[in-house]
Amino acid sequence: MLEKFIIGFEFEFGCNLTRRQISEKMKENGWLLKGNKPVKWTITDDASVVSNLRYDHEVISPPMPGMEALKTLKKFLSLMRSIGVDTNNTTGLHINVSFVDKTLTDSIDLLELISSVPDSKMAGYYDRKYNDTCMPVEYFFNTNHRISIKKIPESWEDKRKLILQHFIDKSTKYHTINLQKWKRRKYIEFRFAGGKGYEYCYRQLSRDIRTITSLMQKACNGKISKQADKVVRDYSMRFVELPKKTTHGDIGYFSFCDARDLYSGYRSDSSFSLDDILMSEDPFF
């Protein structure tokens, strides 16, 4: 399975070594920090990391074939332990994953993927479930469950597309699943891992990587699963039609459609006047 994927890592940590000293340690392990871009590692200072040691770093690996990536992950975590790093709730391990086969890139159902990855459970293992740099997908939909559009779509497929686009447009990189780089660079960043002591968590990290790659593969099977649409059912997604001006220049009526209608077919919209909406306990705006 892993041979179908390209995987890279971003390691965040504090330590008492400078970037130059870390690079020397990495060269001893055969990792190049100069040369052609595909094999180049990068070391930068990271202002988001707050540790008890002198320097705060982020080390970024090049993308690698899946099996090689797991071996490299194990080896780099060992290096981190040997230099006495400090990891805590400000340090993450970001896992970047893409397909070798570009036909899979074109066929993946991203809505199915983001709704099927057990990101909250995974983040909980590293004590990052409520970390503000990797908020769960569930949190996004619970706080952004209304989609304002000019016209509510009638087809099931169009509604699903709008829900996915809503996540891509409104979410930030600080979610457990970051799709910001998908459009141009075609890789997905998973941010659930890291935290205190993650340099000792190779076995769990290996299992989690196998889980997410398996789910990515499954999301390319061309089938629209109910699992993919649980975001609609569980998070009460709603489409809100933007107001239109009447012939008198007044704001007309809003209408909304509960996106859970994906399960029961499209129904006629319910309509509310502006006064009804403003007086309700749960207004649209």
Side-chain angles (χ1 to χ4, degrees), residues 39 54 138 159 181 249:
V39 297
R54 293 179 64 188
E138 177 183 7
K159 290 177 182 178
K181 299 295 179 68

Side-chain angles (χ1 to χ4, degrees), residues 84-197:
V85 301
D86 177 27
T87 53
N88 52 52
N89 65 346
T90 70
T91 59
L93 169 58
H94 307 155
I95 305 166
N96 302 316
V97 187
S98 61
F99 291 105
V100 173
D101 185 349
K102 299 310 177 186
T103 61
L104 296 178
T105 300
D106 296 333
S107 65
I108 189 170
D109 183 341
L110 291 173
L111 182 60
E112 175 174 351
L113 177 66
I114 66 174
S115 61
S116 60
V117 172
D119 58 327
S120 291
K121 182 178 179 181
M122 289 176 166
Y125 181 87
Y126 308 97
D127 197 24
R128 286 171 62 79
K129 187 173 181 179
Y130 302 106
N131 192 296
D132 59 8
T133 64
C134 57
M135 300 302 294
V137 170
E138 177 183 7
Y139 176 82
F140 171 84
F141 282 108
N142 280 337
T143 55
N144 296 271
H145 57 269
R146 290 187 175 89
I147 303 175
S148 300
I149 51 176
K150 291 182 178 180
K151 184 178 181 181
I152 296 172
E154 296 188 17
S155 75
W156 182 68
E157 293 82 2
D158 287 344
K159 290 177 182 178
R160 293 183 81 257
K161 290 178 182 178
L162 280 175
I163 292 170
L164 174 61
Q165 194 61 47
H166 178 62
F167 179 78
I168 293 174
D169 291 343
K170 300 296 184 181
S171 66
T172 70
K173 71 174 186 177
Y174 297 113
H175 284 85
T176 48
I177 305 175
N178 173 21
L179 299 182
Q180 302 298 310
K181 299 295 179 68
W182 178 257
K183 184 175 181 180
R184 293 189 178 182
R185 302 183 66 181
K186 300 301 181 186
Y187 73 82
I188 299 171
E189 180 187 38
F190 296 90
R191 298 174 62 93
F192 56 81
K196 184 175 179 58

Side-chain angles (χ1 to χ4, degrees), residues 214-275:
S214 175
L215 291 172
M216 285 180 68
Q217 177 73 29
K218 185 178 180 181
C220 297
N221 63 12
K223 298 179 181 179
I224 305 299
S225 69
K226 288 186 178 180
Q227 177 69 16
D229 295 318
K230 82 181 183 70
V231 292
V232 177
R233 181 189 63 209
D234 294 351
Y235 308 143
S236 302
M237 296 298 299
R238 291 181 178 180
F239 297 100
V240 181
E241 194 166 293
L242 294 171
K244 299 177 181 179
K245 287 188 176 181
T246 66
T247 54
H248 301 288
D250 299 324
I251 294 178
Y253 288 82
F254 288 94
S255 66
F256 83 92
C257 171
D258 193 321
R260 284 173 292 184
D261 293 340
L262 292 179
Y263 284 97
S264 59
Y266 184 71
R267 69 179 182 185
S268 299
D269 297 341
S270 299
S271 296
F272 299 86
S273 70
L274 181 59
D275 288 340

